[in-house]
Amino acid sequence: MAGFVGDIPGMYYDQDKQKYFKIQPSSAGPASSVYSSQDVKRRKLRDEKEAKAARDQARQKHRIQQSKLLTEPLIGGALQREYGNDGLEPAKILAGGLVRQGHVLIDEGRVAGGSGMFTIVYRPEIGSSVIDFRLVANGVIEMSRCDLKKRDPSSQNFRLGLEWYSGTMILDRPRTTDVTSVCVHETKQFQATTWLSRFTNHGIMIRDISMDGVDDPDDHPNSQRFVNIGPGHTRGPGVSIFSSTAAPSASNFLFAFGTSVGVLATDKHGAYNTTFVTPNPGDHLEDIFAVEFLSDSPSVLLSGGRRGILSITDLRLPMPPLDYDTITHPSSITHIRQLDQHRLIVSGLNSSLCQYDLRFRKMDPVSTSPVPRSKRKRQTRTATSPILKYPDYHNTASHQAGFDIDLEAGIVAAAQEADEYHPSVQLFSLHGGHKLDSPHAFGFQYKNDTDWLVKCLRFARDTDSGMKSLYVGQRPVIQRYAWGEHDSEQASYGGPSSIESFPTEYSMTFPHL
């Protein structure tokens, strides 16, 4: 059948081949197979974006032209500086210089369900480039110590050498995909791990990490101390735990945990007393995906989740009513980070990434366009007006997408739902909102796998250079990206080479506990 005659049910017209093809059900083969229902959805979305980009380009052509005055060396340079386009943006320079520098290789067969959550703690008292690395996967907390200077830094393929490692089994042995969060209280030297558990007395593990890596653990009876905690029975069965955060050192709490029925907090005085600190939502269950303490007000807790309501709770006061002091985000909230005394950055679903100022909380103007009758009951809140938006952020429905910020460098690292137009991790200017290019990082993804969601990424200081490195979980590896010179001869995930070219003699293998 030659030529396009219109949309035919069950058929897809390929513009390149000028033919109709039958759409195959996804159950008949892999979703990535040609002309499967999932592949056709991707093709149609690509065609729509390409058509929209072509229309926008045609519309903008010859509409706006750059002034010739800006090309003048003297007055043009002064104007560029006044516009903020002087070319000396530190975040842009740092992001453009990120290259792959080392990796932690994990046993791919044992963690096929995901690369796992991990934490990194810099140990300058031991060495100028020593880090403690803890990975949670396959029901085991794997602990190791690495010295970056003991491997050849001139090679981008070097394997982070493990000086020691040990494993602690998590109660229930949760699958890697069931682990929801992991965080470290660096002052008190405790690590909290959360997972989806079917029991009321499980789901949280708090472990003392102060004696990890000692020469003789038998001389330190508290080195393996840990406790398992659950949500209890007060708010019914089936409570899920989604998120965690460490409290500031001046707070009366050790950790806070987001659950499906409110926020739990662990007291740092006593035997890990853990109670709910927010009201019971009752029948209106709200999954809390993000929790954060204010560093300058350690008794103030921020929390947000599926409803898109960022609650501000003062833990010194009696339990306030629901939504007592709030910010309304355009969609479900997945991460909350404090930037300074007044500003917050909040990521969420429907590709919403915004900055808010706690002093100036105004509502967005109400749309004057007619609203269908079927949707009027749902529109009960108006979103708070942000002070800055990140329009290029892409995350439609993944609440476990990784997220972190580097305040010193002014960079935001956000995991995305990767496709032909969006890399698996995108860097943004913290203060400008625009995306930053990292041409030598190849989209921060493993090989050409665009269907894999990066669930954990972290900025971490791992040397005495003053700059932080970016660690990204990519299936069988945790990859380190740092400022450096790109070597085109080295194998890279974005190039034609594969993981088989990397050394495997130091790969992490999990103990049979």
Side-chain angles (χ1 to χ4, degrees), residues 220-381:
H220 304 275
N222 295 327
S223 62
Q224 300 297 326
R225 184 176 59 188
F226 62 89
V227 61
N228 288 286
I229 304 171
H233 301 272
T234 58
R235 298 197 177 181
V239 177
S240 300
I241 301 173
F242 298 107
S243 57
S244 63
T245 187
S249 57
S251 174
N252 293 325
F253 296 95
L254 193 64
F255 294 101
F257 306 95
T259 75
S260 56
V261 291
V263 178
L264 283 167
T266 301
D267 197 299
K268 71 178 181 181
H269 306 292
Y272 305 102
N273 183 30
T274 303
T275 57
F276 282 98
V277 294
T278 57
N280 190 342
D283 296 333
H284 304 285
L285 298 182
E286 178 181 4
D287 298 333
I288 303 297
F289 298 141
V291 284
E292 176 84 348
F293 283 93
L294 291 182
S295 58
D296 53 320
S297 301
S299 297
V300 177
L301 178 69
L302 311 175
S303 60
R306 193 174 298 279
R307 290 194 302 153
I309 306 299
L310 193 157
S311 300
I312 306 173
T313 306
D314 193 333
L315 302 180
R316 297 168 296 186
L317 302 177
M319 192 171 291
L322 284 171
D323 302 343
Y324 175 73
D325 189 10
T326 62
I327 291 175
T328 304
H329 194 63
S331 186
S332 298
I333 296 173
T334 57
H335 294 280
I336 303 171
R337 293 289 189 275
Q338 182 185 11
L339 303 181
D340 55 31
Q341 184 179 1
H342 304 293
R343 293 183 303 146
L344 309 172
I345 185 170
V346 180
S347 68
L349 306 185
N350 289 333
S351 302
S352 56
L353 180 58
C354 306
Q355 273 193 40
Y356 299 98
D357 194 314
L358 295 176
R359 300 167 297 178
F360 309 106
R361 284 180 275 171
K362 298 180 180 180
M363 297 301 175
D364 275 339
V366 179
S367 175
T368 58
S369 59
V371 180
R373 184 182 300 272
S374 60
K375 296 183 179 180
R376 290 178 184 175
K377 293 183 179 179
R378 302 179 185 177
Q379 295 187 349
T380 58
R381 292 181 178 272

Side-chain angles (χ1 to χ4, degrees), residues 102-104 106 115 118 133 135 471-474 476-480:
H103 62 276
V104 176
I106 309 167
S115 58
F118 61 90
F133 185 91
L135 171 74
Y471 288 80
V472 180
Q474 301 167 317
V477 297
I478 306 298
Q479 185 63 58
R480 174 179 179 261

Side-chain angles (χ1 to χ4, degrees), residues 5-65:
V5 297
D7 292 332
I8 301 177
M11 305 291 288
Y12 172 74
Y13 183 77
D14 193 319
Q15 296 286 351
D16 297 331
K17 298 182 180 179
Q18 300 289 311
K19 281 185 176 182
Y20 282 93
F21 293 90
K22 183 178 180 181
I23 300 175
Q24 302 293 331
S26 298
S27 58
S32 59
S33 61
V34 181
Y35 305 117
S36 66
S37 58
Q38 292 294 333
D39 179 70
V40 169
K41 289 180 181 179
R42 286 193 289 264
R43 288 170 178 263
K44 289 183 177 179
L45 181 61
R46 180 198 62 191
D47 295 341
E48 291 176 0
K49 289 185 177 181
E50 290 179 350
K52 182 178 182 300
R55 290 195 301 269
D56 293 342
Q57 185 178 5
R59 189 185 305 115
Q60 295 297 335
K61 189 176 181 180
H62 304 306
R63 176 179 292 184
I64 300 175
Q65 296 183 0

Side-chain angles (χ1 to χ4, degrees), residues 433-456:
H434 53 277
K435 63 181 180 180
L436 303 173
D437 294 328
S438 299
H440 305 308
F442 302 100
F444 300 94
Q445 62 192 31
Y446 169 62
K447 295 185 181 180
N448 296 320
D449 193 351
T450 59
D451 296 329
W452 189 255
L453 179 68
V454 174
K455 295 184 178 180
C456 190

Side-chain angles (χ1 to χ4, degrees), residues 436-507:
L436 303 173
D437 294 328
S438 299
H440 305 308
F442 302 100
F444 300 94
Q445 62 192 31
Y446 169 62
K447 295 185 181 180
N448 296 320
D449 193 351
T450 59
D451 296 329
W452 189 255
L453 179 68
V454 174
K455 295 184 178 180
C456 190
L457 56 85
R458 296 185 186 275
F459 284 106
R461 180 169 283 106
D462 51 13
T463 64
D464 55 1
S465 64
M467 293 190 298
K468 294 182 178 180
S469 301
L470 177 60
Y471 288 80
V472 180
Q474 301 167 317
R475 287 218 179 183
V477 297
I478 306 298
Q479 185 63 58
R480 174 179 179 261
Y481 295 89
W483 170 268
E485 183 178 355
H486 175 64
D487 187 354
S488 59
E489 296 182 358
Q490 293 287 339
S492 85
Y493 295 144
S497 59
S498 65
I499 192 69
E500 284 77 11
S501 63
F502 296 163
T504 59
E505 65 272 16
Y506 295 105
S507 61

